[in-house]
Amino acid sequence: MFSIESGRRRRFIAGGAAALGAAAAIGAVAAAGTANAATGSADHFVKPTIVLEHGAFADASSWEDVIKELRHDGYPVVAAANPLRSPSSDAASLRALVDHIKGPVILVGHSYGGSVISAAAAGDPQVKALVYVAAFLPAPGETALELTNRYPGSTLPSALDPVTVTNPDGSTGTDLYIQQDEFRHQFAADVPADHAALMAETQRPIAQAALTEKAAIAAWETIPSWDIVTTEDLNIPPAAQEFMAQRAHSHVTEVAASHSVAVSHPRLVAGVIEKAARATR
């Protein structure tokens, strides 16, 4: 059974490289602002804005190479900054961003980001498709932790390093990191070592409580979805990913990749996103 356990303490180097994610997001927003009216040359297809929501232990820079592929093909892109505090509050932040964008939107969520887009898109006619990338697709009443527990295969608990934090209301909470010396094996086994090391050093923590908050709504019940299932994933068991994708009647693409598939296979990820965009035109 998956459980949140205390990992070995490690030293963090959460320093200047953390600005990478913010810089990537700002650049992506600027690009989206100038490209919102992008059209296909052949048939004047108005391309939707692609909004990318990262998951736990990552930041917006994890989409960098996917963004390059999408921009090359003329899609406006925004890589959102996910607070990683709770599905409901993070969804509210994402929904506010989507409401600020003109025209149709495709929401893309990686890992925990899948829980966020599932809530943020509910009842929003602006969102034309959902794309899940090694992600959670919780049904109402389910949690990320419960879905992971449902199938064997996750080795995340022993790789975690919990840090006690004081919440804004004065209560005590726990932020979860992945130990730097375990990061590549656990999260990014098919990413070059130097890049994986940078990802480990700039990772952003998720609030432990976010993994146990129950979903209130599931946008995939009414919005068409696409799903990339990573068969070498050590965070979300592949069997859990397959179950969620089939339940949502998603268009599924399987790939032998780690949890960091957007980094190791950006062209594949961008290709699935573009399929979703074309199919919902």
Side-chain angles (χ1 to χ4, degrees):
M1 287 289 288
F2 184 104
S3 62
I4 302 299
E5 302 174 356
S6 294
R8 300 189 305 274
R9 293 291 171 183
R10 62 177 172 73
R11 293 178 299 162
F12 282 93
I13 312 174
L20 276 173
I26 291 169
V29 171
T34 59
N36 247 345
T39 60
S41 59
D43 58 359
H44 304 290
F45 164 44
V46 177
K47 294 178 177 175
T49 298
I50 311 301
V51 178
L52 306 166
E53 182 84 339
H54 66 81
F57 317 116
D59 63 18
S61 68
S62 61
W63 297 110
E64 180 179 356
D65 289 337
V66 174
I67 291 170
K68 290 177 182 177
E69 296 286 341
L70 293 170
R71 290 182 64 188
H72 178 269
D73 293 337
Y75 286 88
V77 186
V78 175
N82 188 349
L84 303 175
R85 298 297 89 189
S86 75
S88 57
S89 64
D90 296 341
S93 296
L94 180 59
R95 181 67 175 258
L97 173 61
V98 171
D99 289 346
H100 187 68
I101 296 171
K102 295 180 180 179
V105 166
I106 307 295
L107 281 185
V108 184
H110 173 242
S111 191
Y112 164 80
S115 296
V116 178
I117 69 170
S118 294
D124 190 346
Q126 188 178 1
V127 179
K128 303 303 180 182
L130 302 169
V131 180
Y132 294 92
V133 181
F136 289 109
L137 292 75
E142 293 179 339
T143 71
L145 184 59
E146 174 190 351
L147 286 163
T148 306
N149 280 346
R150 200 170 290 183
Y151 297 91
S154 177
T155 58
L156 182 60
S158 62
L160 289 174
D161 190 7
V163 175
T164 301
V165 296
T166 300
N167 296 318
D169 63 1
S171 63
T172 299
T174 301
D175 272 359
L176 300 175
Y177 295 84
I178 295 177
Q179 299 170 56
Q180 286 191 21
D181 58 358
E182 296 283 348
F183 189 93
R184 188 184 184 209
H185 169 75
Q186 179 62 44
F187 197 82
D190 53 357
V191 174
D194 57 346
H195 193 163
L198 180 61
M199 292 168 64
E201 293 160 359
T202 60
Q203 66 177 292
R204 293 186 54 221
I206 186 168
Q208 179 174 308
L211 302 179
T212 58
E213 180 179 292
K214 293 182 178 180
I217 197 165
W220 48 260
E221 294 180 336
T222 56
I223 299 175
S225 62
W226 280 252
D227 198 321
I228 297 173
V229 172
T230 44
T231 61
E232 296 180 359
D233 201 313
L234 297 180
N235 274 32
I236 306 176
Q241 294 183 46
E242 291 168 3
F243 161 74
M244 291 183 283
Q246 292 172 8
R247 180 177 63 179
H249 304 291
S250 298
H251 304 272
V252 177
T253 298
E254 289 194 357
V255 57
S258 75
H259 197 60
S260 295
V261 63
V263 180
S264 61
H265 294 75
R267 184 168 295 179
L268 179 145
V269 173
V272 172
I273 294 168
E274 293 187 22
K275 284 182 182 178
R278 291 192 298 269
T280 55
R281 57 196 292 178

